[in-house]
């Protein structure tokens, strides 16, 4: 069907609409990849063309539900336990004790948590240090499906590939296939659906001493990264710290944050003056 071919013109309006709703940025080179994700949605909706799909997303009163479905098709939920571990260890060994000594109950937000492996790794490290009950943990993602999996706490090989052997038996119980995370850990995390480009949703979460926003900025344009970083900066307490992914330097942007190195990990600290 010719309507299911993604012409440069239709790519331009559809990719702009997707970016407006989700922050996800696609270059023209990504058009075949995007078409692979969009065409099944067009077919499922019973529409004849990608252009009709665009009009549906843009103008139909039922479009919010379809955008939510589309998000599930587009997002990359790739993550695993103990990924990029050093900054998490540093949070537990250095930042959290520092806040506790200052009489603060640390509030930590994992801002694109996918299926939950990252906040659960943090919960394991906090538990091992006897600090799990001393902190408030919030974890969010745009994907409702990923959050449902996070709350369920059942994980398979891909998520377990860098698992520390000592975690098994202590926080994870082997199942016939995969592993179940102890409910004490999943219950210690407040999982919420938050679209990072929706400033009102970010604001509603309140303020945090530490925000982890790792391996999601790579999917956004520079302009969107700056908007998201501004919203995350507003969500930080004075002297609060933002941690991004190992490949996601913010140094090329001007922001209200100062980069600081601690034990080989980089933090972006909120400027107080
Ligand atoms: C590759 S995963 C990163 C997971 C984890 N932070 C890590 O580093 O292992 C990227 C996540 O970002 C989420 N995401 C993409 N766009 C988002 C948005 N606009 N708001 C919130 N989450 C978003 C995706 O659903 C996906 O779960």
């Amino acid at each position: 069907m010719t309507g299911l071919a993604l012409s440069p013109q239709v790519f331009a309006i559809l990719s702009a609409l997707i970016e407006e709703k989700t922050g996800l940025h696609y270059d023209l080179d990504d058009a075949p990849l995007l078409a692979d994700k969009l065409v099944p949605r067009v077919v499922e909706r019973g529409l004849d063309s990608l252009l009709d799909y665009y009009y549906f997303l843009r103008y139909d009163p039922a479009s919010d539900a379809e955008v939510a479905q589309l998000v599930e098709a587009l997002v990359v939920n790739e993550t695993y336990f103990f990924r990029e571990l050093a900054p998490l260890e540093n949070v537990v060994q250095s930042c959290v004790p520092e806040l506790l000594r200052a009489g603060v109950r640390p509030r930590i937000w994992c801002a694109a948590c996918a299926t939950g492996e990252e906040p659960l790794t943090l919960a394991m490290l906090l538990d091992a240090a006897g600090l799990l009950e001393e902190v408030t943990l919030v974890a969010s993602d745009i994907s409702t499906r990923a959050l449902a999996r996070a709350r369920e706490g059942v994980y398979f090989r891909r998520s377990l590939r860098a698992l520390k052997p000592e975690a098994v038996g202590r926080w994870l119980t082997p199942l016939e296939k995969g592993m179940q995370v102890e409910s004490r850990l999943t219950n210690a995390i407040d999982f919420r659906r938050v679209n990072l480009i929706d400033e009102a949703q970010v604001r509603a979460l309140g303020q945090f001493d530490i925000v982890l926003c790792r391996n999601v900025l790579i999917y956004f344009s520079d302009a969107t990264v700056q908007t998201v970083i501004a919203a995350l900066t507003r969500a930080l307490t004075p002297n609060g710290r933002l941690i991004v992914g190992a490949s996601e330097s913010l140094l090329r942007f001007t922001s209200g944050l100062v980069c600081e190195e601690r034990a080989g990990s980089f933090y972006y600290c909120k400027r107080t003056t």
Side-chain angles (χ1 to χ4, degrees), residues 19 21-24 71-72 74-81 83-84 110-119 140-144 146 193-198 201 212-220 224 228 245 248:
E19 188 158 5
K21 304 266 185 196
T22 67
L24 300 172
V71 162
E72 302 301 340
L74 295 178
V75 288
V76 178
N77 295 140
E78 167 66 8
T79 183
Y80 51 92
F81 285 98
R83 182 182 195 182
E84 294 177 24
C110 192
C113 71
T115 37
E117 291 86 331
E118 183 180 47
S140 66
D141 202 275
I142 195 174
S143 163
T144 311
R193 186 186 174 279
V194 174
N195 181 350
L196 288 173
I197 66 162
D198 186 326
Q201 289 183 14
L212 293 145
C213 183
R214 306 197 300 171
N215 302 306
V216 59
L217 301 175
I218 42 171
Y219 300 106
F220 298 159
T224 304
V228 169
E248 297 173 313

Side-chain angles (χ1 to χ4, degrees), residues 17-18 20-24 26 37-38 41 44-45 53 56-58 60-77 141-147 193-195 201:
L17 179 60
I18 289 168
E20 181 190 312
K21 304 266 185 196
T22 67
L24 300 172
Y26 294 90
K37 311 261 177 156
L38 293 175
R41 296 301 323 145
E44 177 139 347
R45 276 276 152 199
Y53 188 61
F56 179 81
L57 287 178
R58 177 63 83 196
D60 196 281
S63 69
D64 282 356
E66 179 54 32
V67 170
Q69 293 277 327
L70 179 58
V71 162
E72 302 301 340
L74 295 178
V75 288
V76 178
N77 295 140
D141 202 275
I142 195 174
S143 163
T144 311
R145 191 182 54 201
L147 289 167
R193 186 186 174 279
V194 174
N195 181 350
Q201 289 183 14

